Amino acid sequence: MVNLRSTSTSQHPVSLIPNPPHFLLPPSNFLLYPVSCTIHLFIPMANILIPYPQLQGTFESILILHYKFSKSRASLCAELFAKASLDGVASHGANRFPVFLEMIRKEFVDPTAEAECMDSFGFFERWDGKLGPGNLNAHKCMDRAITLAKAHGVGMVALQNTNHWMRAGNYGWQAVEEGCIGICFTNTKPNMPAWGGSEPKLGNNPLVVAIPRSKGPIVIDMAMSQFSYGRMSSYLREGKDLPFEAGFDSKGKLTNSPNEIIENEMALPAGLWKGAGLSLVLDMLSAYLSGGRSTAQIGEIGEEYGVSQIFLCFNPEKLGIGEASEEILDKIIEDLVSSKVFPGKEVRYPGENILKIREENLQKGVPVNKEIWNKIQNELT
């Protein structure tokens, strides 16, 4: 018997290997197509291109038809999911949408709940998310932080009792589109060890810093783990190992197997002990300022909901920072990209490629994993 395995997304075979060893057998996300009684063709679940309006419209229809969303809230929620995939972050866009729906079905997310202000102290406010949709709560609180910044120069909202905000970078882009510097972060359930620990104690607590700039905003969106769990899930779905060691196996050895890392919830802190320390203080600030749950308390629940988040904005205009100050940013970027590089490498600033990816996907269609798209389509029935 001869097995054919394609390592591309094409339906054309790239190799013929008689009696392949076990490590060449297809991963679980490959489809097995009978070609004859003696030959099989392995084809990975390829991406398909979905027009952006169709992608957003499909999300919106599902939320209205089956999940008790009002028209306006469904539209914004769908836009935030679709924008993530549009900008090339499918791991927290279309890929997350079925997970989000499952959280609603489990009643961890209340689709009708809206975040409300609990306390107000000038430029600082504390809000209760009421376990509503995390992306809607986050968008509302960043919008409020922007409004406060335009009034005071600085605006800050601490949000308790909310849910996973999906793509964190959305809220950084939201700030820069209003001409503000945006900083936001969240805690999560325990999914990363303390440095030297053998069990998950820290969250990978994503952090966003976004700086407006006329020649292209700087937007960094990063988890405190080497890879986000959404990104690791994408590698797992594609049947690939991670390009770098990104977590620990059950024996405490570093591994680039997404399956082992996800199963053990032992992601490698970015920057090793430094990332572990930064994760800790982000969790402390999120819980302390919002009055909400810490990572440890979220872990006690057993599911990731009821998290705590911070949204901080600076309005450069209100703070007396003129347009001429952009020269500072431009010179920093110019120096960065002038760096010498190793063969085949390039230097980019955070967020540099997003606008290019966005424009390309608007023209050609948004890449969506076929298996994920089938799941989403099934929600319409």
Side-chain angles (χ1 to χ4, degrees):
M1 179 175 180
V2 177
N3 287 326
L4 270 176
R5 176 182 172 184
S6 170
T7 56
S8 71
T9 56
S10 167
Q11 293 191 13
H12 301 290
V14 296
S15 62
L16 276 168
I17 305 175
N19 303 315
H22 69 87
F23 58 83
L24 287 180
L25 292 177
S28 59
N29 70 317
F30 275 55
L31 295 182
L32 182 63
Y33 286 92
V35 178
S36 72
C37 61
T38 58
I39 297 178
H40 292 81
L41 176 64
F42 297 112
I43 302 176
M45 293 296 278
N47 284 339
I48 55 177
L49 298 178
I50 306 297
Y52 177 73
Q54 181 183 353
L55 184 65
Q56 180 177 339
T58 301
F59 292 156
E60 183 177 332
S61 296
I62 291 168
L63 295 173
I64 292 172
L65 286 172
H66 302 302
Y67 292 93
K68 301 180 181 178
F69 277 72
S70 67
K71 168 68 174 161
S72 60
R73 282 165 61 80
S75 178
L76 178 56
C77 187
E79 179 185 348
L80 292 168
F81 272 107
K83 270 188 175 180
S85 284
L86 178 68
D87 287 354
V89 193
S91 61
H92 290 71
N95 292 8
R96 280 274 181 171
F97 191 69
V99 178
F100 174 67
L101 300 182
E102 180 64 19
M103 293 291 282
I104 296 175
R105 289 192 290 268
K106 290 181 175 179
E107 300 184 348
F108 298 144
V109 175
D110 182 351
T112 64
E114 297 190 41
E116 292 182 356
C117 182
M118 301 165 57
D119 303 295
S120 181
F121 306 95
F123 75 90
F124 173 78
E125 293 182 354
R126 187 176 295 110
W127 284 57
D128 180 0
K130 297 185 177 294
L131 294 180
N135 56 2
L136 294 184
N137 284 348
H139 187 274
K140 187 171 186 177
C141 287
M142 180 56 85
D143 184 66
R144 182 57 183 161
I146 292 167
T147 300
L148 291 169
K150 289 184 176 181
H152 302 283
V154 179
M156 184 173 183
V157 174
L159 175 63
Q160 63 171 252
N161 202 30
T162 189
N163 281 303
H164 195 305
W165 58 10
M166 305 303 151
R167 180 205 180 189
N170 277 343
Y171 317 110
W173 284 94
Q174 182 183 350
V176 297
E177 286 165 6
E178 291 291 331
C180 289
I181 297 169
I183 300 173
C184 55
F185 49 91
T186 182
N187 61 11
T188 69
K189 69 176 183 178
N191 56 21
M192 194 169 73
W195 190 248
S198 62
E199 62 177 328
K201 280 291 184 182
L202 301 172
N204 66 339
N205 305 343
L207 167 69
V208 174
V209 179
I211 305 171
R213 174 173 167 263
S214 58
K215 293 182 180 179
I218 297 90
V219 182
I220 186 166
D221 171 5
M222 60 173 288
M224 291 301 106
S225 53
Q226 186 65 41
F227 287 84
S228 71
Y229 274 85
R231 187 64 176 149
M232 286 191 281
S233 295
S234 293
Y235 274 91
L236 179 62
R237 188 176 296 110
E238 294 167 9
K240 297 179 181 178
D241 283 338
L242 297 158
F244 304 100
E245 293 174 329
F248 301 92
D249 63 18
S250 57
K251 297 180 180 179
K253 294 182 179 180
L254 286 171
T255 178
N256 63 348
S257 165
N259 184 55
E260 287 190 276
I261 299 167
I262 293 170
E263 184 177 350
N264 296 320
E265 294 191 319
M266 289 283 283
L268 178 67
L272 309 178
W273 53 88
K274 297 177 181 180
L278 186 53
S279 167
L280 180 66
V281 297
L282 291 177
D283 176 37
M284 287 178 169
L285 289 172
S286 298
Y288 181 68
L289 291 171
S290 71
R293 292 186 178 95
S294 66
T295 287
Q297 290 170 319
I298 297 166
E300 291 170 358
I301 302 172
E303 296 279 353
E304 188 176 79
Y305 67 95
V307 303
S308 306
Q309 296 171 349
I310 300 296
F311 302 86
L312 177 62
C313 277
F314 298 89
N315 182 2
E317 183 179 354
K318 192 75 174 180
L319 295 172
I321 301 172
E323 291 183 6
S325 297
E326 277 212 11
E327 292 181 14
I328 298 171
L329 301 178
D330 292 342
K331 287 179 180 178
I332 292 171
I333 295 297
E334 287 170 10
D335 179 67
L336 178 77
V337 299
S338 72
S339 172
K340 296 178 181 178
V341 297
F342 293 108
K345 302 295 182 180
E346 62 178 334
V347 173
R348 301 194 305 265
Y349 63 84
E352 181 177 353
N353 276 354
I354 293 297
L355 295 178
K356 186 188 302 182
I357 293 170
R358 184 183 298 174
E359 183 61 29
E360 181 178 329
N361 288 342
L362 280 172
Q363 291 180 5
K364 298 180 179 179
V366 180
V368 180
N369 177 272
K370 187 175 181 180
E371 182 181 9
I372 295 291
W373 183 242
N374 289 340
K375 285 183 181 179
I376 292 169
Q377 291 287 97
N378 288 339
E379 290 283 346
L380 287 170
T381 59

